[in-house]
Amino acid sequence: MHKNDSKPKLFARFIRDRYTSSPADSDLSSAQPYNKELAIAFLVFILISALCVFFAAFSSPFFRYSTNSDSNVYFSVARAMQNGLLPYRDVFDHKGVFLYLIYYVAVWMTPTNMNGVYILLTISSAVTMLYGFRLARLFLPSIPAMISALSIILFSMGSPVYENGGGSTEEFFMPCIMACLFYLVRHKIHLHGKIVLSGVERFSGAFIGGIFCAVILWVKYSSLAVLFIPYLIFVTDMLFRKQIRETATYIGSFLMGAAALSVIPISYLWRHELFADFWNTYIVFNLDYASSETAFNIATFLQMMLLAALIPTTYTLLGMGYLSKKVKVVPCRCFWLVASHALSLIFFIVALKKAFPYYFLLFAPMTVFGSVAI
């Protein structure tokens, strides 16, 4: 070791030497943690999430009542369902049926208060950090990877975007987005020979990604826009590489995962003959609602775009640039995959012309890439 070598250069050399060797020579167990390590990490994240959500979410026992109107509406619809009423027909709200089924579980757990929502938000946050940990674990040892995953808390509950007190649809989307980004990046690294994945690992990732995308579809279908371009880039790249069989199997596994999850809401709608009511509310009404003019405060919008969108996006892309260009442990195509997700989010919010703070929660999962670089 030369005395003149700076610490960043030594770290870059260590990472590059470790991950640019051939797959046969790599210690792949370090990049793919064992079940025991994942279980310990999940327990740690549950404890951290329970503490953070306790003081941040209005549905926790720390608060006497919730002032979050959206969460209260979802909870009221779920409580009405428990009492025999039907969404879209007997009680009105315009979110997807799967959201009310999620809140139904919260009502079932704690029928007299909203602490069940607090439990679900804790689990959602912990699952998001677990997938963030798995992503960071591709490049870092266990403890630094766990610390990297904590950036999700910093950019969500530790920022102004959480001012509504939790319970939004976007909080339940955070684990979906984090998981999809993890499986896409892991598969992409495999295709470039950095790690070796078995067929089961590759296509179970596609299957689980399909499940998480279906969750978004049946809760708030417009939010699928933030994952559409990354998946399109991923599949197109495989086709350009003439990996036809791999692409077909990947798409088939993804669609099977989406179909498996979709059985739940479809069964509920079919059993209660709600397809027409569901279509008129969830599709037709939401299209009209999205195109309607609403009060738009340009100053607030620009402030939120700077603090809650551009800062996490810059933080993420600088990290991805370092990992792909400097130490070269991530293929350059991964940079564009993550960049497309970030830009899709920005375009999605700009197109809606709405600056609801909880929209910006969706920027939090990708910040793990920035933390890994640090």
Side-chain angles (χ1 to χ4, degrees):
M1 180 186 302
H2 299 290
K3 294 182 179 179
N4 321 358
D5 286 349
S6 64
K7 288 185 178 179
K9 287 183 179 179
L10 291 173
F11 174 74
R13 183 184 303 167
F14 166 76
I15 294 292
R16 184 172 58 250
D17 292 345
R18 180 175 182 182
Y19 287 100
T20 56
S21 58
S22 65
D25 298 329
S26 301
D27 179 15
L28 299 177
S29 62
S30 63
Q32 300 177 66
Y34 295 111
N35 291 336
K36 181 179 179 181
E37 183 180 347
L38 291 174
I40 294 173
F42 184 64
L43 178 61
V44 171
F45 292 140
I46 280 284
L47 295 175
I48 294 172
S49 297
L51 180 63
C52 294
V53 177
F54 183 82
F55 292 108
F58 294 156
S59 57
S60 81
F62 183 72
F63 297 92
R64 296 184 63 183
Y65 53 86
S66 172
T67 57
N68 185 329
S69 57
D70 286 347
S71 184
N72 289 344
V73 168
Y74 308 149
F75 193 84
S76 297
V77 172
R79 181 173 284 172
M81 291 167 61
Q82 192 179 56
N83 291 326
L85 300 179
L86 298 174
Y88 312 119
R89 181 177 299 167
D90 301 319
V91 288
F92 177 81
D93 190 51
H94 56 98
K95 290 297 187 292
V97 64
F98 197 74
L99 178 64
Y100 307 130
L101 295 177
I102 292 173
Y103 268 81
Y104 190 96
V105 175
V107 173
W108 173 76
M109 287 191 291
T110 57
T112 59
N113 57 56
M114 296 187 69
N115 292 167
V117 178
Y118 160 70
I119 295 172
L120 294 183
L121 293 178
T122 297
I123 295 172
S124 176
S125 175
V127 171
T128 306
M129 287 193 287
L130 180 67
Y131 273 107
F133 166 75
R134 294 189 67 183
L135 178 62
R137 194 67 179 82
L138 293 170
F139 316 107
L140 298 173
S142 184
I143 299 301
M146 292 182 70
I147 296 173
S148 296
L150 295 180
S151 66
I152 297 170
I153 291 286
L154 176 64
F155 283 95
S156 57
M157 288 177 239
S159 74
V161 301
Y162 210 83
E163 65 181 20
N164 289 342
S168 66
T169 57
E170 282 70 18
E171 281 180 86
F172 295 109
F173 293 165
M174 286 171 62
C176 304
I177 290 174
M178 188 74 261
C180 288
L181 289 178
F182 163 70
Y183 288 119
L184 284 172
V185 169
R186 187 182 70 165
H187 202 136
K188 181 65 70 177
I189 293 174
H190 161 78
L191 293 176
H192 283 259
K194 302 289 186 180
I195 62 173
V196 174
L197 298 176
S198 67
V200 172
E201 288 173 319
R202 297 198 306 275
F203 300 112
S204 64
F207 184 85
I208 297 171
I211 290 176
F212 281 122
C213 285
V215 170
I216 299 175
L217 174 67
W218 289 100
V219 171
K220 188 177 178 181
Y221 63 85
S222 60
S223 295
L224 270 178
V226 305
L227 287 173
F228 175 75
I229 299 300
Y231 270 103
L232 181 63
I233 290 175
F234 179 80
V235 171
T236 303
D237 182 54
M238 283 201 294
L239 288 174
F240 274 122
R241 291 170 173 270
K242 298 182 179 180
Q243 298 170 319
I244 307 301
R245 180 177 296 180
E246 177 105 357
T247 304
T249 309
Y250 187 91
I251 294 174
S253 301
F254 179 90
L255 293 176
M256 284 192 292
L261 187 282
S262 297
V263 167
I264 299 173
I266 289 174
S267 298
Y268 179 84
L269 295 172
W270 176 78
R271 179 185 177 188
H272 297 287
E273 299 179 349
L274 283 173
F275 284 109
D277 304 274
F278 170 78
W279 177 267
N280 290 331
T281 304
Y282 187 54
I283 305 298
V284 177
F285 176 85
N286 275 324
L287 288 174
D288 292 338
Y289 175 74
S291 60
S292 63
E293 294 293 332
T294 57
F296 183 67
N297 188 322
I298 187 65
T300 302
F301 180 78
L302 292 176
Q303 181 184 19
M304 292 301 298
M305 286 297 295
L306 173 63
L307 296 177
L310 296 182
I311 289 179
T313 296
T314 302
Y315 178 75
T316 299
L317 296 185
L318 285 176
M320 281 299 294
Y322 179 79
L323 294 173
S324 61
K325 298 291 186 181
K326 184 69 175 178
V327 294
K328 301 184 185 303
V329 298
V330 176
C332 288
R333 286 180 174 85
C334 283
F335 173 89
W336 294 113
L337 190 149
V338 175
S340 70
H341 167 65
L343 295 176
S344 296
L345 267 171
I346 293 174
F347 179 78
F348 174 70
I349 294 173
V350 170
L352 289 176
K353 293 184 179 180
K354 295 180 176 69
F356 298 128
Y358 48 81
Y359 281 4
F360 297 88
L361 286 169
L362 300 182
F363 286 92
M366 67 180 181
T367 58
V368 173
F369 293 102
S371 299
V372 167
I374 291 177

